[in-house]
Amino acid sequence: MLPLRWFARRLLLAATVVFGAANAVFFAFRLLPGDPVRSMLGSTNPTPELVEQVRHELALDEPLAVQYGRFMRRLFTGDLGESFQLQQPVGEVIGDQLWPTVQLATAAFALALLAAVTLAVLTAHRPRVRRIVSTLELVAASTPAFWTGMLLLALLSFRWKWFPAMGGSGAVGLVLPAVTLAAGLVGVFSQVLREEMERALEQPFVLTARARGSGETAIRLRHALRHGLIPLVTLAGWAMGALFGGAVVVESVFSRQGLGQVTAGAVAGRDLPVVTGMVLVSALAFALINLAVDVLYRIVDPRIDERSIG
Amino acid sequence: MGVDGSRAGDALLRVEDLRISFGHGRHRTEVVHGVDLTLRAGECLAVVGESGSGKTVTGRTLAGLTGPGATVDARRLDFDGQDMTAAGEREWRRIRGAEIGLVLQDALVSLDPLRRIGAEIEEALANHGVGTRRDRPGRAVELLREVAVPEPEWRARQFPHQLSGGQRQRALIASAIAAGPRVLIADEPTTALDMTVQEQILDLLAARRDAGTALLLISHDLAVVARLADRIAVMHDGRLVETGPTERLLAAPTHPYTRHLLDAVPSARRPRRSVVPAAGASTAAGNGGVDRTDVSHGQATGAVVLSVEGVGKRFPAPGGGIDALSGVSCTLRAGETLGVLGESGSGKSTLAQVVLGLMEPDEGAVSLLGRPWSGRGERSRAGLRGRIQLVQQDPLSSFDPRWTVERIVAEALGAGGRRAARGHRPRITELLGLVGLGPELLDRGPRGLSGGQRQRVAIARALAPEPDVLVCDEPVSALDVSVQAQVLDVFEHVRERLGVAMLFISHDLGVVRHVSDRVAVMRAGRIVETGPVERVFTRPEHPWTRQLLDALPRPGTSPTSPAGRSMPGHVS
Amino acid sequence: MTASQAGPATDATGATGPTGATGIAPVPRSRPVRAARRGPRAGLALAGAVVAVAVLAAVAPELLAPRPPDTIDPVNALAGPGGGHWLGTDQLGRDVLSRIVHGARTSLLIGFGATAFAVVVGSLLGVFAAAAGRAVDQILMRATDILLAFPGLMLSLVVVAVLGPGTANATLAIGASLLPGFLRLARGQALAIRDSDYVRAAVVIGRGRGSVFVRHLLPNAVPPLLVLATVNIGSAVIAGSTLSFLGLGPQPPSPEWGAMLAEGRDHLDTAWAAAVFPGLAITVTVVAVTVVGRALQRRIDGRDGHGR
């Protein structure tokens, strides 16, 4: 049912986003103030000869056009260069660390969605309960993830020793990081979900449903919830960003392996090829997620079809 | 169900001294003050009132759906002999859908837009255990066929937005009658629909009534109700002021409010200017008396102020584009009112935009006061800009929400700032007086005004630059009938005092007949018929005009209506 | 006999039953809603007080802090609350309370500074996009799409990677990550107002472009931007402390809440105090700022949107 032209246009747009991101990051690193070579060598007060040598090794002394040409050529063959710090191809670094982060993000997303749906269905249009829950949501949204993680560690790992304090393997090691990461999302999810559900509950079609004898539970689950899920689909792109941003912090708090740790380390050490690689990977992921959202959107909301063809 | 016993049968619904209030303690306000109703099988009772009269709350209360924060008191609230005054949600749920069905106004929002038509109907069946899970889809299709939705198998799998307005309303009715309720409450079931479709839906409801369903019809429109109702109850300010058999009530209303309602309806079946100022409308009446003799408005023979020649406008759309206007020509003479009549999508609003110079035509030209108006830059129009002004449908959105009435009108006098506005106070007060508003409104914001007041302010603003032409785009469509009558009087008064020419755009035949000297009937971007108002309404030439006029509901009072053409046969 | 029915609102389940008062013209608010109105007033006062204290700490920390923030006392390192230190000491024996008070300046500066940067630059670019015509608009909006493609923190991290760590760079980095949102809103507002009925009315009356811009567009476009700004300050403060936590914000030994938590992280198993109180400071401040921001939002919405 998906119009091919529409899909092609979206695909082109996604490609543009990735290409634009590649350009932005290439020029940002080379044109903005700050010398990557010097900051890479750090505070050792390197001799000018050493700086020049490193610059030459990294091919940063060539004309911009030549650098750009090589960068783009490599990009199209999937070669992201080599990490300054780790002396390892960037593609390999990212590939190695991708899985733990995806695992963490997926678990956190599922947890957050489940909690948010439960909260929203129970509290929509029930002023008393809702006030308590929305206060909790405000506090949750106002708490930085690293602090949530530290509190959980202090209580559940160090004091009560329920969970491993560091790393840990398998499902047990995943619990605390996933809960920490989910905590940041639940508030936003349930707020958006509830607001839309409440809007739906005030619509005439809900009155019509009541008039044909439907009960409260049926109305919430069969009618209002679906309306609530629509804006949540739109939020998927944002959620992916939040999950990835959160992963940087959570992995660092729990000393977990993953892309977040890699990114944090690369930024701190100004390992530009790795940072560039991460930017491209996240742009690609975002573009793909948004493409998926657009498709999903048309499935969830039948009204979209007509609207977006014009 | 004993169909033939419709008259003798016991009342299905019997309500005595029904009182409904909202809020608690000090903040409690009663909105319905003691209503008595009875409804029998096979009978149609209409409750007629303006918005805020309490008719909707009353209707919903009869289905146990008053809403949160409401308190319902009644000496008696019986359904089929069963006392419902103390019924809980559980008992109401058993009755809703199975015994009492409810149909709301706009099916686009009254059916869940995310669910298929069939699913909505099946839900009603499932709620009351009608049929098995297996045969419910088939039953839903049957029901759609029963309410005459074409291609029901296909429609059942579609979503509400994919159906036309009329089909949607039919589907909504199908879902309400699915579990076979003996009582059907229809709240403004035809209001959102075009005239021709409205008639079909009324026929459908009439068929249900004839099949033995007790029908409670709630509407603001006496003319619509008259076609169907056996009895009419007029509701005003939470009370039933008059109840009686339809023919009697229309022919000889006893309560002043009923008479007022009947008078306020600008009838498309009566010649123009028969609307009397509303009984309670002191402001309009007070000003309406001034200078009535100044300008006589016979046949307009003044100079041409606006001329539209062969105008075409095309909008891009899938499949090549839509001709919003094609080959439209008309002229407007000084002091004359040209009514432009058309249903939604006929191109009448596009015409307004082009005439105002807000949109450039693709073909043809518009000239104003003999000078070219279309096809030139906004800057070069400056000298003529004030000569043509606009009154829009929704006055609220046409005001900057942060401004006061004074600033709104002052801006049209060329004073944008707050201080500059002050200097124009006398002239602003004069303009407000012209539309029947007092100076006490000067410092109000648009949200502090009633709907009628807002539209008057919009008219005052439009008159500020002393225009020769006033373009009115559905200016009274968003107003209640009695307010509508007052605002129409303001237009009448303005035209007598100032002799301004009007291009009056509306979908409402009654309104157009009331205000116009000449009428242009539009359909699909073309003017299909033009002529003097009396000739067009009494001897229409184009088949489309004839169809529009035929679709008009005919109240019994109308002197031109062939007696009982579509009056319901049996009166209780 | 008069039977009273409390409406289906309070049915057997005791929950708020059928809702959906749509169409019933102004439904007077029922009790729970009024109670909810009264609640926030006390909460708002408390939030205002917290914001005032935080601002005071940022402006004149000496007035509130019991000690200097950087006096080292290794003997009493990692002490719990009590004794001479209300909130305990950190790994170098510095007073945690004093460091929290002194840290307010940096933490708030990053939050407010980043938001201010985003509002100003975002609004100017947004209105420019709306006014400049199709080509420029398309380019700017595609650029915004690309910026939005980065998760907020990712964008900040890239900026820090380019500019290097530090307070000013962190502020700029967070400002950059907020920018696209403001640009979008400003453009949307400008377009919506341009196509509104009241601007159409002003054109018909004969007002010129400049007059419409100054009198209608600007005054109506600014309030929503300010609302977005006030509700964004809280998340900007959190983003700032996150960068600090990762060691990319203000550098030691200057006190900052996120940085303090990073130091406390290493001693979580033995000294919980140094790892708990700075976080509490962040959460309490952000909640307070958000509550004040929402109150402001209700006021502005009330004046321009709903009500009268």
Side-chain angles (χ1 to χ4, degrees), chain A residues 29 147 202 210 253 270 279 286, chain C residues 19 22 150 161-162 265 276:
Chain A
F29 283 146
W147 194 49
E202 283 176 8
R210 288 188 205 287
V253 171
R270 306 198 79 186
V279 167
F286 185 88
Chain C
T19 46
T22 332
F150 296 79
V162 173
R265 158 79 181 88
V276 167

Side-chain angles (χ1 to χ4, degrees), chain B residues 14-24 28-35 54 56-78 83-87 92 96, chain C residues 1-10 24:
Chain B
R14 188 184 293 277
V15 180
E16 282 171 30
D17 196 28
L18 175 71
R19 293 171 183 277
I20 306 167
S21 52
F22 286 96
H24 297 267
R28 182 165 160 168
T29 25
E30 197 174 86
V31 295
V32 173
H33 323 282
V35 158
T56 293
V57 203
T58 303
R60 287 182 191 178
T61 299
L62 297 182
L65 288 169
T66 322
T71 313
V72 177
D73 278 306
R75 193 182 323 127
R76 191 165 185 179
L77 179 56
D78 284 359
D83 176 30
M84 297 301 289
T85 47
W92 273 116
R96 269 184 228 138
Chain C
M1 211 176 93
T2 303
S4 174
Q5 179 202 14
T10 46
I24 306 176

